[in-house]
Amino acid sequence: MSFAQIGLQEHSKSMVGNAAVLINGYNQFGGTKEITDKLKSFLEDINYRGFAEFDLKYDSRDKKFKVLEINARQGRSSYYISALGKNLISVLVNDLIDNKDSEYKLLTDTVMLSFVPKGIIKKYVKNEEYKNTALSLYEERINPIDYKCDKSIKMRLYLIKRAYGYFKAYKNGYWKE
């Protein structure tokens, strides 16, 4: 299990609701173990087997996390789990092919996943504490699209075009803060 705080969502109309920047092992509201224990207990109580991604919202009025939805699948941004030393495909192979149970572990190491350029974080992340943390982690970020071993000019040009697209999308975003 992991617990990541989202600092920025996608701003294009077709991507609303998807994380653009998230940090695992970072929760400025506290209570990570309490909420993860509750979610684990819930899944065990209903005998759930498989991946589940919970979208939570922190309610500052009562200082509690609220579940917005449960996605019974691996999420778009779940790739960062591999940087925490867990390969989600291996979990499936161990379970379904090798018939081995996986040991429960809460992955608490700090890892940032970011699809967006650093300038987007600087300009559009409003939470100053989160922004400072994200900027300090930026050079070690995980971006599943930016495969470091692919140094081809075609890939480099694609990444530049994609970065430019993010600046355009946020400037003309589907919603305004």
Side-chain angles (χ1 to χ4, degrees), residues 19-30:
V21 179
L22 63 78
I23 302 173
N24 186 73
Y26 177 87
N27 173 8
Q28 70 186 111
F29 305 111

Side-chain angles (χ1 to χ4, degrees), residues 3 5 27-31 34-35 55-68:
F3 189 97
Q5 184 173 328
N27 173 8
Q28 70 186 111
F29 305 111
E34 178 185 342
I35 189 66
D55 288 342
L56 306 173
K57 179 78 173 169
Y58 183 76
D59 189 340
S60 59
R61 297 171 297 184
D62 64 3
K63 310 231 182 304
K64 292 183 179 180
F65 286 97
K66 309 294 169 86
V67 176
L68 298 177

Side-chain angles (χ1 to χ4, degrees), residues 85-102:
K86 290 290 181 184
N87 182 321
L88 294 179
I89 301 306
S90 293
V91 172
L92 289 174
V93 169
N94 287 343
D95 181 38
L96 300 173
I97 296 172
D98 297 336
N99 202 26
K100 294 180 189 173
D101 288 334
S102 295

Side-chain angles (χ1 to χ4, degrees), residues 124-158:
Y124 293 99
V125 174
K126 302 298 182 204
N127 179 322
E128 289 298 320
E129 179 184 330
Y130 190 98
K131 180 191 302 187
N132 291 335
T133 301
L135 292 173
S136 73
L137 295 170
Y138 192 80
E139 296 309 316
E140 290 83 36
R141 75 194 176 283
I142 305 302
N143 182 345
I145 297 166
D146 188 2
Y147 180 54
K148 303 294 183 214
C149 293
D150 186 351
K151 299 180 188 299
S152 70
I153 189 71
K154 189 174 180 179
M155 179 54 105
R156 296 294 115 197
L157 290 172
Y158 170 76

